[in-house]
Amino acid sequence: MTDRKPMTLPRLAQMHASGEKIAMLTCYDAAFASLLDEAGVDMLLIGDSLGNVLQGRGSTAPVSLDDMLYHTTCVRRGVKYAFVVADLPFDSYHVSKEEAWKSAAALVKAGAHMVKLEGGGWTAETVRFLSERGIPVCVHLGFTPQTVTALGGFKVQGRDEESAARMKRESQQAVQAGAAMLLYEMVPAALAAEITAASPVPVIGIGAGVGCSGQVLVLHDMLNITPGRKPRFVKDFMAGKDSVLAGVKGYVDEVKAGAFPVNAVHGF
């Protein structure tokens, strides 16, 4: 990939518009960042999922902004080409848009190209505040891990007509506020495909079907490192592979070809 150029936001928007699939994975350190870069992953997400897979916590809520800054700095040191997105952790953007700015600006200074926050509706003002000041924002909708208790557990969102309509409305509000990307987690594949088709910005899915602009998985899940039962939407990409690099390349190839996910197997 000697002719490969660093991924940019306009290029991601072009990929969405043309139907070219976007491959994204979580990443938390420089070594994996370099490997994922070599494998052709388009986007790296420093997710607050590090609370689960690195810190052994039961949820993402305890993850601090300092945690996110540390891992964002590490990942950025290993990246040459991929577009880097960092999560705004719980309690770092909820009180005010000014608080959100300080948190987001710190992540950008640490190396993030974009920040991601969870929730629709109430976040629109924050999205507008950040995007108008030059920080690209991804809005995470559907199942939102930071508020798992309020959602009553790990449940698929948008199954009924009312909640599906709310998701469509929140997607529109987010984009109107300036969101440059949406991420949908654990929503029916048909709903996610409908939202993606109508969206002017890329829509990344995790447990949201093949109809999204692209896919993301937790790195440790798709490498079958995470102990215990995996979510329905996870596939073991290390199966039959002789190296981690080969496993990641397999993921990229299947996402690009539209072969992963399979709605009937990995979707809802």
Side-chain angles (χ1 to χ4, degrees), residues 42 76 128 152 165 172 191:
D42 299 307
R76 194 67 181 86
R128 181 173 289 106
Q172 293 172 350
L191 174 62

Side-chain angles (χ1 to χ4, degrees), residues 61-120:
V63 175
S64 69
L65 181 60
D66 284 343
D67 291 334
M68 295 304 305
L69 291 171
Y70 171 78
H71 287 281
T72 299
T73 301
C74 291
V75 168
R76 194 67 181 86
R77 288 173 181 153
V79 170
K80 291 182 179 179
Y81 306 108
F83 193 82
V84 177
V85 183
D87 273 343
L88 284 165
F90 185 71
D91 196 29
S92 70
Y93 60 96
H94 298 70
V95 174
S96 68
K97 57 185 184 293
E98 289 81 11
E99 175 197 48
W101 168 261
K102 289 182 179 180
S103 301
L107 288 170
V108 169
K109 289 178 180 179
H113 298 122
M114 170 184 275
V115 299
K116 180 168 72 68
L117 52 77
E118 292 186 6

Side-chain angles (χ1 to χ4, degrees), residues 42-260:
D42 299 307
M43 301 179 69
L44 304 184
L45 171 63
I46 302 98
D48 56 7
S49 52
L50 66 87
N52 304 104
V53 298
L54 298 187
Q55 298 176 342
R57 299 181 184 273
S59 77
T60 61
V63 175
S64 69
L65 181 60
D66 284 343
D67 291 334
M68 295 304 305
L69 291 171
Y70 171 78
H71 287 281
T72 299
T73 301
C74 291
V75 168
R76 194 67 181 86
R77 288 173 181 153
V79 170
K80 291 182 179 179
Y81 306 108
F83 193 82
V84 177
V85 183
D87 273 343
L88 284 165
F90 185 71
D91 196 29
S92 70
Y93 60 96
H94 298 70
V95 174
S96 68
K97 57 185 184 293
E98 289 81 11
E99 175 197 48
W101 168 261
K102 289 182 179 180
S103 301
L107 288 170
V108 169
K109 289 178 180 179
H113 298 122
M114 170 184 275
V115 299
K116 180 168 72 68
L117 52 77
E118 292 186 6
W122 70 272
T123 64
E125 183 180 359
T126 298
V127 172
R128 181 173 289 106
F129 192 85
L130 297 180
S131 61
E132 286 180 348
R133 286 158 179 79
I135 296 182
V137 181
C138 175
V139 177
H140 184 148
L141 300 167
F143 174 74
T144 47
Q146 290 178 4
T147 53
V148 61
T149 302
L151 295 174
F154 294 84
K155 296 181 178 180
V156 178
Q157 305 296 305
R159 284 193 185 276
D160 60 86
E161 187 174 337
E162 181 180 354
S163 60
R166 184 182 69 252
M167 286 191 194
K168 294 177 186 177
R169 183 172 63 252
E170 290 178 347
S171 296
Q172 293 172 350
Q173 290 171 344
V175 173
Q176 289 169 359
M181 186 172 294
L182 303 174
L183 187 149
Y184 267 92
E185 181 168 359
M186 288 178 63
V187 302
L191 174 62
E194 181 181 352
I195 290 170
T196 302
S199 176
V201 302
V203 179
I204 305 300
I206 177 167
V210 74
C212 297
S213 313
Q215 302 295 325
V216 64
L217 285 177
V218 171
L219 178 65
H220 293 60
D221 288 349
M222 58 82 63
L223 294 178
N224 199 28
I225 296 172
T226 309
R229 183 182 177 186
K230 310 296 187 298
R232 173 187 174 95
F233 52 77
V234 172
K235 177 179 177 178
D236 175 10
F237 282 90
M238 278 301 295
K241 302 295 194 303
D242 60 1
S243 70
V244 171
L245 181 62
V248 176
K249 284 184 175 179
Y251 169 78
V252 172
D253 289 345
E254 289 197 23
V255 169
K256 294 289 186 181
F260 176 82

